[in-house]
Amino acid sequence: MNTRISPSILAADFTRLAEEAAAVADDADLLHVDVMDNHFVPNLTVGLPVVESLVKNARLPLDIHLGVSDPDRWAPGYAEVGAGSVTIHAEATQAPVRTLRAIRAAGAQAGLALSPATPLQPYEGLLDEVDTLLIMTVEPGFGSQKFLDFTLEKVRQARTLIDNVRRFSGREVPLWLQVDGGVNESTIARCAEAGADSFVAGSAVYAGADPGAAVRALRARATEGARSVGARA
Ligand code: DX5
Ligand code: ZN
């Protein structure tokens, strides 16, 4: 199984962003940036100017997670400055198809995020429009929150759905199933068992002394979790 690990710089030292990005560049696949506007979530982080600087200086593709109340207005701009992936929240967008298509047209992968209380079913028809389906495993807004176990059921549903889309539509482009929030060495294997293959981790990567080693450890645990499913199948 291919696994993507995306360290969240929300847990990094914001005065040393370039160094914090470099610390995971050899081990991670993406660099997760939480853009928060203090409206969609009760927290305020960074915006386009910081992302633009990171695009120029970080070696990893940027994985932009828009925790903003008007993603239809802002998302295409992040793709235009060179983000690798831009994810919008289902609860915030008024025009998901238009915005997801605008992200792709601007050259980035498009992602759709579902907060913990948001059901998957109303969005099933949108999977053709996305490269990443993000199942939030905490309420968006802050790092270091406790993993919400009940969200794993939605990850399992999403895995079944994605496998069916692949089987019946002949889709060739990857469709990543991402989890974000409370992902650490003890929860990541359960996420992988449930079917996730893309993992955002903030505090589990940046709280310790060696972010690169933390990414390697997370990847090893995710691979074990995915293998245990393969062994049962
Ligand atoms: C929460 C953010 C996460 C956050 C995860 O709203 O979307 O990306 O950084 O942090 P941890 O991994 O510490 O839960
Ligand atoms: Zn995030």
Side-chain angles (χ1 to χ4, degrees):
M1 182 189 82
N2 281 331
T3 297
R4 269 179 160 185
I5 308 279
S6 186
S8 170
I9 59 156
L10 189 60
D13 178 348
F14 273 23
T15 65
R16 300 168 42 251
L17 273 188
E19 290 160 57
E20 297 278 65
V24 295
D26 291 334
D27 297 293
D29 303 279
L30 305 165
L31 191 67
H32 188 83
V33 182
D34 289 290
V35 172
M36 300 181 182
D37 67 350
N38 215 17
H39 291 275
F40 181 69
V41 293
N43 198 3
L44 187 63
T45 57
V46 297
L48 206 45
V50 173
V51 167
E52 222 173 332
S53 297
L54 276 171
V55 165
K56 291 189 198 119
N57 289 290
R59 277 189 279 143
L60 295 170
L62 296 192
D63 173 28
I64 308 297
H65 177 188
L66 291 180
V68 304
S69 58
D70 192 0
D72 304 320
R73 160 79 178 79
W74 297 106
Y78 287 88
E80 281 157 19
V81 299
S85 168
V86 181
T87 296
I88 61 171
H89 264 269
E91 306 81 12
T93 175
Q94 303 294 314
V97 175
R98 185 169 64 226
T99 301
L100 293 164
R101 287 183 181 178
I103 293 169
R104 279 178 160 178
Q109 295 190 343
L112 184 70
L114 306 182
S115 288
T118 305
L120 178 60
Q121 194 277 331
Y123 302 98
E124 288 181 3
L126 290 181
L127 288 187
D128 273 352
E129 309 290 341
V130 309
D131 303 287
T132 301
L133 178 64
L134 167 55
I135 306 293
M136 289 302 298
T137 41
V138 299
E139 287 289 2
F142 300 95
S144 299
Q145 300 180 75
K146 191 174 175 307
F147 186 86
L148 295 170
D149 289 291
F150 74 86
T151 59
L152 282 175
E153 183 50 36
K154 200 171 10 172
V155 176
R156 280 188 279 273
Q157 287 169 14
R159 170 47 58 204
T160 304
L161 189 66
I162 289 171
D163 287 348
N164 284 338
V165 165
R166 282 238 187 76
R167 201 165 303 137
F168 299 117
S169 76
R171 174 183 168 127
E172 300 282 336
V173 243
L175 209 176
W176 297 97
L177 178 50
Q178 190 175 53
V179 286
D180 180 9
V183 174
N184 56 38
E185 273 197 58
S186 51
T187 56
I188 196 168
R190 283 192 290 139
C191 294
E193 273 170 35
D197 55 10
S198 182
F199 306 88
V200 178
S203 45
V205 170
Y206 283 111
D210 188 343
V215 171
R216 293 194 293 277
L218 287 169
R219 192 186 301 282
R221 297 285 294 129
T223 306
E224 278 167 34
R227 272 208 202 106
S228 73
V229 179
R232 278 204 305 270

